[in-house]
């Protein structure tokens, strides 16, 4: 049974918000929740890809999929979008903080502005989107937040210190938010993917050779595709994981 065919009845008609849902893993998550019968909205800046995804899925799923053009570096814009989602679709029960920017940067060249912008795309919105969504989860009696970290910060990868710092911080943020929001029945967990081959990763960073090298490090000898993250995310958001919070789930084909 694939993640796309497993069914969790609790997602039917429930409101789900995914950040960075326009492409890659985020798009697979949007599709995965939409095929569960959820009312899915997503925030992204990739206009063309996001519109195409929302239109395609809206023709095929129980509820229209809604795209909100939102630059996650703009906290007021996040708050406006979250309010619109709640007004249109009802209280948000599931939030996936997925958006990120794994830009490579040379240690000696990083400026203060670069650092701040990098943290704004990779870390700051994870807190502020959760903060904006929490009131509607409380009002609905609870919810689930899933933050996307990465195994990259555990691998001594020198190519993106700012990204690695943000991804490590997301694990700490997950635990702190879980402690704060647990009494309100809001569960907060994170997923640490390994290498996931997306179109964008292929365009920017990956080659057939680098994929083969990474696969050698995995126990499982097949490169992971975005779908590999959908099942674990559905599980963490579902009632099956009702007793789980403050946890990190590694989905890397067995690297760590
Ligand atoms: N692909 C991988 O190998 C991999 C590995 C480990 C962790 N991850 C994590 O999984 C998540 C998804 O990965 P991906 O490779 O699909 O991501 P990606 O780099 O393709 O980007 C995700 C989405 O975020 C959007 N986005 C970027 N900046 C934004 C901004 N300022 N405002 C709004 N949207 C913005 C992009 O347009 C894109 O649609 C990320 O958190 C990433 O760190 C990915």
């Amino acid at each position: 049974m694939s993640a796309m065919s497993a069914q969790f009845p609790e997602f039917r008609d429930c409101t789900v918000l995914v950040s960075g849902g326009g492409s890659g893993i985020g798009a697979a998550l949007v599709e995965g929740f939409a095929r569960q019968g959820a009312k899915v909205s997503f925030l992204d800046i990739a206009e063309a890809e996001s519109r195409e995804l929302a239109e395609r899925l809206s023709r095929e799923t129980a509820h229209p999929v809604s795209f909100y053009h939102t630059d996650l570096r703009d906290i007021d814009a996040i708050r406006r979008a979250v309010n619109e989602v709640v007004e249109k679709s009802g209280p948000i029960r599931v939030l996936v903080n997925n958006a990120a920017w794994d830009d490579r940067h040379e240690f000696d060249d990083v400026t203060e502005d670069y650092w701040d912008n990098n943290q704004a795309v990779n870390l700051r919105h994870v807190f502020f989107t959760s903060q904006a969504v929490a009131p509607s989860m409380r009002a609905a009696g609870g919810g689930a937040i899933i933050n996307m970290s990465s195994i990259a910060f555990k691998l001594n990868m020198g190519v993106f210190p700012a990204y690695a710092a943000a991804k490590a911080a997301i694990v700490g943020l997950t635990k702190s938010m879980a402690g704060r929001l647990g009494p309100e029945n809001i569960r907060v967990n994170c997923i640490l993917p390994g290498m996931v081959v997306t179109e964008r990763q292929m365009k920017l960073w990956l080659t057939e050779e680098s994929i083969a090298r990474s696969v050698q490090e995995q126990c499982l000898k097949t490169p992971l595709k975005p779908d590999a993250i959908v099942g674990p995310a559905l599980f963490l958001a579902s009632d099956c994981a009702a007793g789980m919070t403050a946890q990190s789930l590694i989905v890397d084909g067995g690297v760590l």
Side-chain angles (χ1 to χ4, degrees):
M1 189 185 279
S2 78
M4 294 298 181
S5 57
Q7 284 295 308
F8 297 86
E10 61 269 40
F11 294 136
R12 183 154 292 280
D13 305 328
C14 104
T15 303
V16 174
L17 180 63
V18 180
S19 75
S23 69
I25 294 171
L29 293 168
V30 166
E31 177 162 1
F33 280 103
R35 294 203 185 285
Q36 295 289 327
K39 293 183 265 182
V40 184
S41 297
F42 66 96
L43 316 178
D44 209 300
I45 43 172
E47 185 75 27
E49 279 164 292
S50 299
R51 289 212 174 285
E52 192 276 327
L53 178 72
E55 281 164 23
R56 175 173 65 79
L57 289 177
S58 295
R59 287 193 294 271
E60 299 169 8
T61 53
H63 297 284
V65 169
S66 305
F67 159 54
Y68 293 82
H69 184 111
T70 310
D71 187 332
L72 293 155
R73 291 170 297 184
D74 178 347
I75 305 302
D76 281 339
I78 293 176
R79 292 178 178 136
R80 282 195 300 276
V82 166
N83 287 341
E84 275 184 58
V85 171
V86 174
E87 235 166 73
K88 187 173 154 198
S89 305
I92 295 166
R93 295 304 298 251
V94 178
L95 166 66
V96 188
N97 285 309
N98 164 77
W101 182 48
D102 61 348
D103 190 41
R104 275 50 173 171
H105 41 279
E106 175 50 42
F107 176 83
D108 290 320
D109 298 338
V110 171
T111 62
E112 295 96 313
D113 284 349
Y114 180 87
W115 179 272
D116 288 346
N117 185 53
N118 191 294
Q119 298 307 296
V121 188
N122 285 316
L123 177 61
R124 192 175 63 171
H125 66 88
V126 177
F127 177 81
F128 284 102
T129 311
S130 304
Q131 186 193 55
V133 162
S136 86
M137 284 187 175
R138 276 182 198 125
I145 297 175
I146 297 167
N147 299 323
M148 214 55 81
S149 176
S150 171
I151 67 164
F153 80 85
K154 292 173 177 273
L155 296 177
N156 308 334
M157 292 173 76
V159 293
F160 41 33
Y163 173 81
K167 290 293 161 182
I170 285 172
V171 175
L173 179 59
T174 297
K175 294 191 78 65
S176 179
M177 291 200 299
R180 170 61 183 84
L181 299 173
E184 296 167 319
N185 199 31
I186 298 171
R187 298 184 297 106
V188 190
N189 291 291
C190 67
I191 295 178
L192 281 65
M195 179 190 68
V196 178
V197 180
T198 66
E199 273 179 37
R200 184 173 167 280
Q201 293 287 321
M202 285 304 291
K203 219 181 293 165
L204 291 177
W205 321 118
L206 298 178
T207 61
E208 293 306 328
E209 294 73 39
S210 70
I211 292 173
R213 274 197 305 277
S214 295
V215 167
Q216 260 187 346
E217 305 298 318
Q218 300 178 188
C219 299
L220 303 173
K221 299 303 177 192
T222 313
L224 301 186
K225 300 274 175 55
D227 283 5
I229 308 300
V230 176
L234 291 175
F235 164 68
L236 283 176
S238 78
D239 292 346
C240 294
M244 281 181 72
T245 193
Q247 301 307 306
S248 299
L249 198 57
I250 294 172
V251 185
D252 67 353
V255 175
L256 295 182

